[in-house]
Amino acid sequence: LIILLLSTFISGLLWLVLIPLWQAPDEQSHFAQLEYLVENKTGSLQQKNLSLEIATSEELLGTRRDNFGNNKFTYHPDYKIDYTNSATGKYESQINNLPVSSRTTYVGQEAAEYPPLYYLLAMPLYNMVYRQGIIDRVFSVRLLSVFLRVLLALTAYAAGRLLFKEKVFALALATMVSFQPMIAFVAGGFHPDTLLNLIYSLCLLIALKFLVKGIDLKLLPALLLLLYLGFQTKVLTLLVVPLIGAVIAFKILEKQRILRVLVPGLILLAPIAAFFWPGPIPYVATVGNSSPLASMTFLSYLRFRAPKMAFEAWPWYWGVFKWLGLVLPSLVLKIITRVAILAGLGLAVKFFLMIKQRKIDTDGNVMIFFILANISYVVYLLLWDWRLMQSKGFSQGIQGRYFLPAVVTQMGLLLMGTLALVPERFKKYRKYLAVGLALGMVVLNFIALDVMAGSYYDFSSWNKFRVQVAQYKPEIVKQLLPSRL
């Protein structure tokens, strides 16, 4: 376990260093909110909240978005900035030596306007290098996401210990979660999704413990605290509440054969009905007669959204880089897809055997719980996006990383389904399959890192690559790399 956590941390540092400034998902928006919070001592954002410092760096590095939300990198994976022959980038001194007044001179709207918890946690890292330039401050606060990724690996391990008798399977699950490429990419930048993924996974962990071990009243205060902290990170945390309620109802009514299925089912369906309520819904976009797409039905929305999700969500879930312009190689995605299909067949076989034997054991309950965790999350997310589209006239889109809060259950299903393909008489070989899946995810992580880094830096020579990596990086990184070609 210690080796896994150290490996996760080292991997996190690699991603942190190799991802160029403003190339992590929406990093400039989240750093803008953090900078505004620190410099103004308030979380109440004005309409203009993009500092001159951030705007200048984005203009020089090609990431400043136009009115359509695109920049020089968007959907252009071949685009690269100009590199110099030294460890100092072409515009690095200009970016890093902007006056302190540029942090509070506002020239546009950029801040994410999310709840404050993630940014409050990042403040100590920001203040440690407060007197340094923007490059040092951005890379310093990225460390928060690296630490959160390590805690996510620990959470996945705890879930694995509840699922499996042998530690090797728990370690395999934790490895599959922590080295999932998109998890690593998001955690290499500054983004509250890393905190959301951890808190959501911890909530699922408590629900899983209730399901496997029974309801522990001592954990309820911790669960309520997690839900509150999640709400202070991202409102999407609320999507786990019906699932937790369904698990608690299932355990309370465990001896009632009909009610234990009916009541949890109604709890999961209740939020769906709420989205069709004509009046206002807390934390959901309000739809009125004057809304641009008020007449759009959910079915019409699905006709628009489903094809895009079919082509985008799966490859983007495993890794989309360089402002949505770059995904993993086609061969790699085909291998992943076939492994996922095999795991799906394994789950189907397991489910068929349960029906045949007319008995659902603990593993079966866990499998159903994991499946419902993902189905309910996706359905609620689509309904939320539908209401937003009705209200605003446009959709924010459903990116692959939006599904990562439930990543522990997703990797759990992948592992359980694959292991189910091994017949009972050969079960001693299952641990080797689990280790193979874990190592495969580590390899996949390095492939993704190679794809991402190769789109920014020159791989033609090791020395040239290291010099380019050193540009627009903190001094501590430059000291580890050559100063000139």
Side-chain angles (χ1 to χ4, degrees):
L1 178 60
I2 293 174
I3 292 172
L4 169 63
L5 298 179
L6 284 174
S7 301
T8 299
F9 181 72
I10 293 170
S11 168
L13 293 180
L14 277 174
W15 281 90
L16 180 153
V17 169
L18 291 176
I19 299 173
L21 185 66
W22 308 139
Q23 294 294 333
D26 300 325
E27 184 171 54
Q28 74 294 337
S29 296
H30 298 295
F31 187 80
Q33 183 163 344
L34 171 63
E35 186 179 65
Y36 192 97
L37 174 65
V38 174
E39 300 297 336
N40 295 280
K41 307 295 188 293
T42 178
S44 300
L45 299 168
Q46 297 178 356
Q47 187 171 4
K48 279 192 172 183
N49 45 52
L50 171 63
S51 71
L52 178 62
E53 179 186 49
I54 296 174
T56 301
S57 64
E58 285 198 88
E59 288 283 359
L60 294 173
L61 294 176
T63 61
R64 184 74 185 273
R65 291 184 282 197
D66 58 25
N67 294 332
F68 298 99
N70 299 323
N71 57 39
K72 293 181 180 179
F73 291 89
T74 310
Y75 303 120
H76 292 93
D78 295 328
Y79 179 79
K80 293 183 180 181
I81 61 172
D82 293 329
Y83 289 101
T84 66
N85 291 326
S86 73
T88 303
K90 184 177 181 180
Y91 305 109
E92 188 168 341
S93 297
Q94 184 178 345
I95 291 172
N96 234 14
N97 293 296
L98 290 165
V100 175
S101 60
S102 66
R103 304 181 191 180
T104 53
T105 303
Y106 300 104
V107 296
Q109 187 174 5
E110 185 69 60
E113 301 184 31
Y114 278 17
L117 180 59
Y118 180 76
Y119 311 101
L120 291 172
L121 293 176
M123 283 179 65
L125 292 169
Y126 184 102
N127 288 324
M128 280 175 56
V129 290
Y130 181 84
R131 296 183 181 278
Q132 305 302 314
I134 190 171
I135 294 174
D136 294 83
R137 282 177 282 130
V138 171
F139 280 85
S140 177
V141 297
R142 281 184 178 185
L143 282 170
L144 174 60
S145 295
V146 175
F147 290 125
L148 292 173
R149 180 182 163 197
V150 173
L151 292 177
L152 179 63
L154 192 60
T155 302
Y157 175 77
R161 293 295 287 143
L162 286 171
L163 288 175
F164 306 104
K165 293 180 181 179
E166 297 184 58
K167 290 183 180 180
V168 64
F169 296 107
L171 288 169
L173 176 61
T175 303
M176 291 169 68
V177 169
S178 63
F179 282 86
Q180 200 274 3
M182 200 62 188
I183 284 285
F185 180 48
V186 176
F190 183 69
H191 201 296
D193 273 9
T194 52
L195 182 58
L196 171 69
N197 296 340
L198 173 63
I199 292 175
Y200 204 99
S201 296
L202 285 169
C203 290
L204 290 173
L205 175 63
I206 292 177
L208 178 62
K209 188 166 186 179
F210 287 171
L211 184 65
V212 175
K213 301 289 187 180
I215 297 173
D216 186 350
L217 296 178
K218 295 178 182 178
L219 288 175
L220 289 178
L223 179 59
L224 292 174
L225 177 61
L226 281 171
L227 290 172
Y228 172 76
L229 294 176
F231 183 74
Q232 294 300 318
T233 303
K234 217 170 179 182
V235 179
L236 282 177
T237 305
L238 294 175
L239 300 186
V240 79
V241 174
L243 182 69
I244 295 172
V247 170
I248 292 174
F250 177 81
K251 295 302 292 184
I252 292 174
L253 302 169
E254 197 165 14
K255 296 182 180 180
Q256 307 293 325
R257 296 188 64 180
I258 297 177
L259 290 179
R260 70 173 182 174
V261 175
L262 182 61
V263 174
L266 290 174
I267 292 174
L268 288 173
L269 291 173
I272 297 176
F275 278 100
F276 291 91
W277 181 258
I281 306 172
Y283 313 113
V284 176
T286 302
V287 179
N289 293 330
S290 60
S291 299
L293 295 175
S295 61
M296 173 188 276
T297 65
F298 185 59
L299 187 59
S300 298
Y301 164 79
L302 287 179
R303 290 195 190 103
F304 158 77
R305 174 56 59 202
K308 291 178 70 65
M309 282 188 61
F311 286 102
E312 292 177 354
W314 181 248
W316 286 10
Y317 172 85
W318 294 103
V320 58
F321 317 108
K322 212 162 187 182
W323 289 85
L324 309 181
L326 187 67
V327 296
L328 297 176
S330 175
L331 177 60
V332 174
L333 288 171
K334 286 179 180 178
I335 293 173
I336 294 171
T337 302
R338 281 150 180 77
V339 172
I341 291 172
L342 287 174
L345 289 174
L347 294 173
V349 169
K350 193 175 183 68
F351 194 72
F352 172 77
L353 292 175
M354 287 191 300
I355 294 175
K356 184 179 179 180
Q357 297 168 1
R358 296 185 179 181
K359 182 182 178 181
I360 300 179
D361 56 11
T362 301
D363 284 352
N365 286 331
V366 170
M367 183 182 76
I368 294 171
F369 168 68
F370 281 2
I371 292 172
L372 289 177
N374 287 278
I375 291 176
S376 62
Y377 179 86
V378 171
V379 170
Y380 300 154
L381 189 63
L382 288 172
L383 287 166
W384 177 83
D385 189 55
W386 166 56
R387 289 289 296 252
L388 179 68
M389 195 166 180
Q390 283 183 308
S391 175
K392 304 295 184 183
F394 62 88
S395 169
Q396 288 187 335
I398 304 292
Q399 292 191 32
R401 63 182 170 86
Y402 294 176
F403 304 109
L404 292 177
V407 67
V408 174
T409 64
Q410 292 152 7
M411 294 301 108
L413 288 171
L414 185 63
L415 180 58
M416 292 172 68
T418 307
L419 296 178
L421 293 172
V422 181
E424 190 67 22
R425 62 180 180 273
F426 298 121
K427 66 179 182 179
K428 65 180 181 180
Y429 296 106
R430 287 175 180 170
K431 60 183 178 181
Y432 300 111
L433 182 57
V435 171
L437 278 174
L439 293 177
M441 192 65 75
V442 173
V443 171
L444 181 62
N445 187 281
F446 278 104
I447 291 173
L449 185 63
D450 176 75
V451 169
M452 185 278 298
S455 70
Y456 295 109
Y457 310 114
D458 191 337
F459 278 6
S460 62
S461 75
W462 176 240
N463 198 40
K464 183 176 289 187
F465 166 71
R466 292 193 297 168
V467 167
Q468 291 185 358
V469 169
Q471 295 178 36
Y472 304 102
K473 300 289 167 46
E475 188 60 34
I476 189 172
V477 175
K478 295 182 186 297
Q479 291 176 3
L480 300 173
L481 297 168
S483 60
R484 299 196 68 82
L485 284 176

